[in-house]
Amino acid sequence: MKKISLFIAMSLDGYIADSKGGVEWLRGQSDDDNIDTYSEFVKDIDTVIMGWNTYHQIITELSPDKWVYDEFTTYVVTHHKETSSNKIKFVDKNPVELVKKLRKENGKDVWICGGANIVQQLIKEDLIASH
């Protein structure tokens, strides 16, 4: 059965974005940070789940010219009516039910990329793996 992992950057006070919704602080404290935990983490991932706000911030602010998760299948949990592609699937579905379904499929693990509401629902149901 697939493992469901939460891999996010978070400030010590529990926030992902600053008071204006920005994530500029995620760039780190210096340009010579050599720690690359992301590359190691994604070796075992083939599916990403995120909410609309995370998706929208990626395509409008963080990487408007290129979809940064192209090597994965991404599920965007949203009530917005958007057209899905092979790589990005917009689903108006309970994230708990989505994760339970995906866990049973063949393939690599699932990464919960963002969305506080999604994360809270999955933690409540004990669906996120602890490391």
Side-chain angles (χ1 to χ4, degrees):
M1 190 170 283
K2 290 184 174 192
K3 181 170 64 174
I4 311 300
S5 297
L6 175 64
F7 184 86
I8 58 172
M10 182 175 65
S11 64
L12 292 175
D13 58 357
Y15 290 94
I16 298 169
D18 63 23
S19 62
K20 295 178 183 162
V23 291
E24 182 65 28
W25 70 272
L26 291 175
R27 298 193 192 281
Q29 297 187 15
S30 70
D31 290 335
D32 55 320
D33 289 335
N34 290 324
I35 301 171
D36 185 8
T37 55
Y38 175 82
S39 293
E40 192 62 33
F41 172 73
V42 297
K43 287 179 182 176
D44 295 323
I45 300 296
D46 66 3
T47 305
V48 178
I49 297 175
M50 65 182 65
W52 174 261
N53 290 339
T54 302
Y55 169 77
H56 191 259
Q57 189 163 43
I58 291 168
I59 65 166
T60 61
E61 181 183 339
L62 301 176
S63 184
D65 299 324
K66 179 180 184 244
W67 181 242
V68 293
Y69 301 125
D70 199 43
E71 68 269 25
F72 311 113
T73 299
T74 301
Y75 289 86
V76 180
V77 179
T78 181
H79 298 295
H80 290 90
K81 302 298 181 204
E82 297 287 331
T83 303
S84 295
S85 67
N86 286 339
K87 286 296 188 176
I88 304 173
K89 300 179 185 300
F90 297 94
V91 294
D92 186 2
K93 188 172 194 169
N94 179 314
V96 170
E97 297 307 314
L98 175 62
V99 165
K100 286 180 177 180
K101 174 187 164 289
L102 292 173
R103 283 180 79 185
K104 296 175 184 175
E105 294 178 357
N106 291 329
K108 295 182 178 181
D109 296 334
V110 177
W111 169 20
I112 308 303
C113 179
N117 190 325
I118 292 171
V119 171
Q120 290 169 354
Q121 289 180 62
L122 298 175
I123 287 173
K124 183 179 177 183
E125 296 294 324
D126 198 28
L127 290 172
I128 295 177
S130 59
H131 298 279

